Amino acid sequence: MEPLDFVSRVILAVIAPWRVLFDGRYAASVKGIDEPPKALPEPTKPKEPEIKPTEEERDLTPALQLLAILQREGRLIDFLQEDLAGASDGDIGAAARVVHDGCKKGIADYLDLAQIRAEEEGDKVELEAGFDAARIKVTGNVVGDPPFKGTLAHHGWVVDKIRLPDLAEGHDPSIVAPAEVEL
Amino acid sequence: MTEQDTPIAVGIDLGTTNCALAFATGASDTPQPLQVPQVIAAGEVTPRALLPSFLYFPSDAEFGAGALALPWYPGARDVVGTFARAQGAATPARLVSSAKSWLSYGGVDRRGEILPWDAPDEVPKVSPLQASARYLAHLRAAWDEEHPDHPLDEQDVVLTVPASFDAVARELTTEAATLAGFDEAPRLLEEPQAAMYDWLAQRGNAWRQEVAVGDVILVVDVGGGTTDLSLIAVREVEGELQLERIAVGDHILLGGDNMDLALAHTVRARLEDAGKSIDDWQMRALTHACRAGKEALLSDESEDSYPLAIAGRGSKLIGSTVRTELTAEDVQRVLLDGFFPVVESSARPQVPRRVGLTAIGLPYASDAAMTRHLAAFLGRTADTSDDARTFAHPTAILFNGGVTRSPRVRERICEVLGAWTRAEGGETPRVLEGTDAELAVCRGAAYYAQSRRHGGLRIRGGTAQAHYIGIERAELAVPGIPPRVDAVCVAPFGMEEGTEVELDQVFGLVLGEPVSFQFFGSAGREDDTVGAVVKPSDVTELSPLETTLEGTDGEVVHVKLHARVTEVGTLELSAVEDGSSRRWKLSFNVRVE
């Protein structure tokens, strides 16, 4: 439907109310003008909306479990929740050793971490056509098609295997560190 | 027989601080460790190759229902393994530890419910026997969970014991296995021999090139809490190389844990001198950190120090973390010079081995110097046919146990031993490389089970101790003075499995009444034959032997004592009627009045 020009619209605006009043057929044709015009194609209904799980519905147990392990082994949450302003680098460094030693052990116990690229960072690398863009992110002068030649900026990390402990029934994983009371 | 029907070869290392199980299915498979599911934190179960030998009894209020659940035991109220060790470190009164050392200690009632030692009354108690059975039962359940079609007690199971375990401790170990649900008692194997088997398995046929006839291999097995020494000779029998275990050391309650603790105390003293104090909770963290530091400094000589950072217990890490270091000098002084001092071959442990039982508790070695214990061991196993030698000269060393992974500890032991042997015209012993310090014993035990079935090299050795019974001397009785007792050898050193010996002496015993004999053992007297008479003070008294001779009351029978080494490797003594086949088994009475 072509839109009307402005002059025609003015004329129509003036006569239409009168015709509605005195011409029953016309009035019938205009009825429903404030409703969406039926002539317009029905907007494509969104297909069965994918029910995106809300945060509550997703099972976050493994995430909490990993957090609990990093806290238990390496006091990670204690460390991150502290205010570093005013602390000396020496004190921070001492605490960081605790966190580093423990978290490293925690990760080694439950995750098999591997480098995505075996080359040294800074080495020249060549990416063949069809390289996995999820595993390798290209940046900088990205023009044309692969093969690409570039320099390895970060070797990447991938978790080959994760084997978290089995949890007992009724175990509340949101308690990442229970309060401790010495009797 | 199909592959399915052939029992799987299983080796179990029932250690003082860690247990492990390895298995090999086929005839030529390399033994693999079983990953043992265990509670590692409240409500969390994960498989690990090592099962720490700790049992923790929580208070009823300590954990919610199911926090200690295991796949095969959802209602568990106590816990074995990693979490038991961690929790027990913070609450020691509820922790059973070193059950194995208690099992071999005659000063307490080993069937009595005495552990945790010194625990308050409300804590449940178990006997050293039951605690050992719990660890075995955990391994058995873990196995059965993973191999439902091949239950563990239907497999070829070999259980290791320290070479220094006497007949009573060995018997109790098989009893623990029975208690853990093994219908058939597992065969026993000495740990140093198991380590040797693992080395042989690693080497394959090449071992024949690495050792030669005349070699004497010293196995130095330093575990977490105990040290075990054995000598294995390489001989030639009918053109074939053969290994024979020729001597074993005393039970020394001294191991890697003592070293970590010694280092932690050194560091703590230094911190306190500097005005910083650390509490008991931090002391445990410090001990752990010292272990890591010890391993780092012992393996890399170029490092001068290892940083230690010990967090406070609260959520504030920054500011409460104590920063110090373990220096190479600490390790040198405390560890190498303290535990492995350079001494003469004539040196001996400084405090007498046995003192009166003034305070009951485990008889920890009072001299921490391993090298002096080593000198004493080699000194008493001197080859008597060679006058020029005052001690047995090992030509090779096989190390086992965590501490001995360190090159510096190895070097020190070789250096000390080399100086001794060179002084008497011998060679510096060489080191046999290639075993895994943590899993060698269980893997070697599985290899042994495998080679028994499929034919393979065996280390000969027989019993590791000579055993004696006490016989009162026939003399005029003197009122108030107990009759003197002779120790008469009833089972010599080196008896092979399945053999039986008889003591000539005849005893007249009354039927229907309990009889009791004093019983002695000695690891150091390889030359005594059956009937040899020694002074009781030269041997170590073990638990009394008892039996009640059933039959017509009041009848007197003439019996001879028989000693038999069973197929599983335990010693069985019985009274056999002279000229008939009536037999009464004598059992150990490990209850202490």
Side-chain angles (χ1 to χ4, degrees), chain A residues 50-181:
Chain A
E50 281 173 50
I51 299 166
K52 275 217 165 172
T54 57
E55 288 297 295
E56 286 77 26
E57 283 162 333
R58 262 173 72 189
D59 183 16
L60 297 177
T61 305
L64 293 169
Q65 240 184 309
L66 195 57
L67 214 50
I69 289 165
L70 295 176
Q71 162 67 12
R72 185 165 69 226
E73 301 285 352
R75 311 281 296 272
L76 182 66
I77 298 177
D78 287 343
F79 183 66
L80 297 180
Q81 290 303 101
E82 277 203 71
D83 184 8
L84 296 194
S88 73
D89 285 0
D91 282 348
I92 296 172
R97 281 189 187 279
V98 172
V99 177
H100 180 265
D101 282 359
C103 291
K104 192 183 173 82
K105 177 181 176 294
I107 284 183
D109 280 354
Y110 301 100
L111 306 179
D112 286 347
L113 266 181
Q115 289 182 209
I116 288 177
R117 298 294 302 207
E119 297 93 340
E120 290 286 311
E121 288 171 7
D123 281 1
K124 298 279 176 233
V125 290
E126 191 170 322
L127 303 176
E128 297 300 329
F131 70 89
D132 184 347
R135 291 169 72 90
I136 298 163
K137 179 166 120 186
V138 288
T139 54
N141 185 23
V142 187
V143 283
D145 293 321
F148 292 136
K149 282 189 176 166
T151 310
L152 186 67
H154 189 293
H155 59 56
W157 290 112
V158 62
V159 175
D160 281 339
K161 210 170 164 193
I162 179 160
R163 19 158 219 280
L164 290 174
D166 295 329
L167 293 183
E169 220 168 291
H171 177 78
D172 181 356
S174 62
I175 300 165
V176 290
E180 294 178 28
V181 178

Side-chain angles (χ1 to χ4, degrees), chain B residues 384-404:
Chain B
T384 43
S385 65
D386 189 343
D387 288 336
R389 295 184 173 186
T390 59
F391 64 95
H393 288 197
T395 53
I397 309 183
L398 178 70
F399 287 109
N400 189 46
V403 178
T404 63

Side-chain angles (χ1 to χ4, degrees), chain B residues 142-423:
Chain B
W143 171 276
D144 289 353
E145 181 87 358
E146 181 139 340
H147 304 88
D149 299 329
H150 301 88
L152 188 57
D153 65 338
E154 289 173 15
Q155 313 309 320
D156 254 349
V157 183
V158 169
L159 183 57
T160 62
V161 290
S164 48
F165 258 25
D166 60 39
V168 187
R170 284 167 200 243
E171 176 75 35
L172 288 168
T173 304
T174 55
E175 214 178 305
T178 311
L179 215 56
F182 286 85
D183 289 339
E184 211 173 296
R187 197 176 290 277
L188 301 182
L189 175 69
E190 291 167 11
E191 286 158 11
Q193 285 191 48
M196 190 80 225
Y197 277 116
D198 186 53
W199 181 79
L200 292 168
Q202 302 296 317
R203 279 289 173 267
N205 281 326
W207 76 271
R208 283 166 221 275
Q209 277 86 58
E210 290 193 43
V211 293
V213 175
D215 264 334
V216 175
I217 303 161
L218 170 69
V219 185
V220 179
D221 182 0
V222 186
T226 54
T227 295
D228 223 0
L229 303 167
S230 283
L231 281 178
I232 294 174
V234 183
R235 297 196 168 142
E236 192 173 310
V237 178
E238 292 163 3
E240 272 288 297
L241 281 188
Q242 204 171 64
L243 298 176
E244 187 178 341
R245 195 265 286 109
I246 52 171
V248 299
D250 288 318
H251 201 55
I252 309 170
L253 286 187
L254 184 65
D257 295 350
N258 303 57
M259 300 175 194
D260 301 335
L261 210 55
L263 288 172
H265 279 292
T266 307
V267 174
R268 181 185 207 166
R270 195 163 54 222
L271 282 171
E272 280 168 355
D273 286 347
K276 291 185 227 170
S277 70
I278 61 170
D279 58 26
D280 288 351
W281 191 89
Q282 288 176 304
M283 182 64 184
R284 285 191 292 274
L286 178 62
T287 311
H288 274 286
C290 282
R291 174 173 311 155
K294 170 191 80 180
E295 281 165 12
L297 291 172
L298 281 175
S299 56
D300 188 353
E301 251 177 278
S302 62
E303 293 292 330
D304 284 341
S305 67
Y306 181 86
L308 303 173
I310 308 304
R313 191 171 184 183
S315 69
K316 293 271 174 289
L317 229 51
I318 292 161
S320 77
T321 300
V322 178
R323 174 75 172 80
T324 177
E325 52 197 20
L326 186 66
T327 63
E329 194 264 327
D330 292 334
V331 171
Q332 176 73 33
R333 184 172 52 80
V334 177
L335 216 147
L336 290 176
D337 296 344
F339 287 88
F340 303 97
V342 177
V343 295
E344 296 293 314
S345 62
S346 57
R348 294 294 178 263
Q350 279 170 339
V351 181
R353 210 152 45 91
R354 281 175 76 85
V355 288
L357 289 175
T358 43
I360 294 183
L362 286 178
Y364 292 109
S366 34
D367 191 332
M370 299 273 191
T371 39
R372 276 196 282 269
H373 288 283
L374 181 60
F377 168 60
L378 295 175
R380 74 169 165 68
T381 44
D383 184 355
T384 43
S385 65
D386 189 343
D387 288 336
R389 295 184 173 186
T390 59
F391 64 95
H393 288 197
T395 53
I397 309 183
L398 178 70
F399 287 109
N400 189 46
V403 178
T404 63
R405 267 185 297 197
S406 148
R408 287 180 73 193
V409 169
R410 290 175 172 222
E411 276 161 25
R412 172 56 69 89
I413 294 175
C414 292
E415 171 198 327
V416 172
L417 198 52
W420 297 347
T421 48
R422 283 193 305 272

Side-chain angles (χ1 to χ4, degrees), chain B residues 13-68:
Chain B
D13 176 6
L14 179 63
T16 316
T17 46
N18 283 300
C19 298
L21 184 155
F23 65 102
T25 312
S28 52
D29 290 358
T30 309
Q32 297 298 323
L34 174 75
Q35 298 293 324
V36 185
Q38 52 196 287
V39 181
I40 50 131
E44 296 180 45
V45 172
T46 210
R48 300 239 164 114
L50 296 180
L51 176 74
S53 316
F54 294 85
L55 169 59
Y56 182 77
F57 292 110
S59 119
D60 288 343
E62 220 170 325
F63 300 109
L68 306 177

